Amino acid sequence: MKTITTYQYDEASDELKEKIIEKHRDINVDYPGWSDFILDYFKEELDRAGIDNPEILYSGFYSQGDGLSFTSRRINLEKLMEYTHANEKYPGIFQALKDGRLDYSCYIERTSTYYVHERTATLIIDSVDNLYDDEKDEEAYFTLENILNKELDDLKDYLDQWREDTCSDFYYKLEKEFEYLCSDEAVIETIQASEYYFDDEGNIR
């Protein structure tokens, strides 16, 4: 029966240590849940922005088309405007929302089923109606209508650009965490903490 000599990482030669690190480079990221705590942080940030129950998808890393995006069926537009400072840029719409003079539907939907980068989704604002119905509010009706005509399209573009920038920022953070978890330092730390033994080829025994 062949005897196999095994070593813990600290007992290995420099050459074997290199083999061990390279062979187990993905030891911290070879399971689906490695990014859960980062995605939970993202969801908390989106919740603060008024984005309800976001679905975050990403693909990575280092291939063309990789990226991150999120969708949501319900967004609190007033809260999102405050979070993004759009309330300062579009005060007419924001005040109308605060006063309850606008009804709206705001959401983010996916536009691609192949990729998931930041440009595969879009933010939509629709069903924006002012709530003045009777004749005595006719002046307010047209005032609000003029505000909407001037500002609504710009607001959509402003918030959608924020969405794209946020996706890119989230993806960058995710990528940096992935790179750290695959670094020599992180791989060695996991191997040592787990007290693994390795053969001459760097396989765990």
Side-chain angles (χ1 to χ4, degrees):
M1 182 177 179
K2 183 179 180 180
T3 300
I4 298 175
T5 303
T6 60
Y7 314 84
Q8 287 195 306
Y9 178 81
D10 291 338
E11 301 170 335
S13 66
D14 291 344
E15 182 182 357
L16 180 54
K17 284 179 178 178
E18 288 182 13
K19 281 185 182 179
I20 291 169
I21 292 170
E22 289 308 315
K23 183 158 282 192
H24 303 284
R25 180 68 68 187
D26 64 347
I27 194 169
N28 293 316
V29 295
D30 63 352
Y31 64 100
W34 74 265
S35 60
D36 284 354
F37 81 97
I38 306 174
L39 298 180
D40 288 343
Y41 163 73
F42 293 169
K43 289 177 181 178
E44 289 173 6
E45 282 297 301
L46 294 175
D47 181 67
R48 281 193 277 272
I51 298 173
D52 183 58
N53 194 30
E55 180 187 34
I56 303 172
L57 298 178
Y58 73 90
S59 64
F61 299 88
Y62 320 121
S63 297
Q64 184 176 357
D66 282 345
L68 177 148
S69 58
F70 57 88
T71 58
S72 173
R73 296 306 306 164
R74 185 172 59 190
I75 297 173
N76 184 320
L77 184 55
E78 183 181 332
K79 193 172 179 181
L80 180 59
M81 289 183 72
E82 286 185 306
Y83 185 87
T84 62
H85 304 290
N87 58 321
E88 300 167 10
K89 190 172 177 65
Y90 306 98
I93 289 178
F94 183 71
Q95 192 60 49
L97 288 170
K98 285 181 67 68
D99 294 344
R101 292 183 285 131
L102 286 182
D103 191 16
Y104 67 90
S105 175
C106 183
Y107 53 96
I108 298 171
E109 67 178 12
R110 193 160 300 286
T111 58
S112 171
T113 57
Y114 189 72
Y115 293 113
V116 294
H117 58 75
E118 67 275 9
R119 295 189 178 180
T120 61
T122 188
L123 182 142
I124 295 173
I125 303 172
D126 61 21
S127 301
V128 179
D129 303 306
N130 74 65
L131 303 181
Y132 287 114
D133 295 326
D134 54 56
E135 293 180 2
K136 70 179 181 178
D137 291 323
E138 184 176 359
E139 182 179 352
Y141 179 98
F142 286 112
T143 298
L144 186 55
E145 185 177 54
N146 287 335
I147 290 172
L148 290 178
N149 287 338
K150 292 178 181 178
E151 295 188 350
L152 189 56
D153 286 342
D154 284 348
L155 175 61
K156 289 179 187 177
D157 291 342
Y158 179 92
L159 293 178
D160 207 41
Q161 186 60 58
W162 169 84
R163 179 197 59 78
E164 283 194 18
D165 293 343
T166 298
C167 288
S168 296
D169 182 54
F170 284 174
Y171 185 73
Y172 176 78
K173 288 181 171 64
L174 199 64
E175 184 178 40
K176 292 298 109 177
E177 180 64 17
F178 179 86
E179 289 176 352
Y180 168 72
L181 291 175
C182 293
S183 68
D184 289 1
E185 175 187 358
V187 172
I188 292 169
E189 183 178 344
T190 298
I191 287 171
Q192 290 176 325
S194 301
E195 299 183 347
Y196 290 130
Y197 282 84
F198 302 91
D199 62 21
D200 289 329
E201 296 304 314
N203 299 306
I204 295 174
R205 291 290 183 172

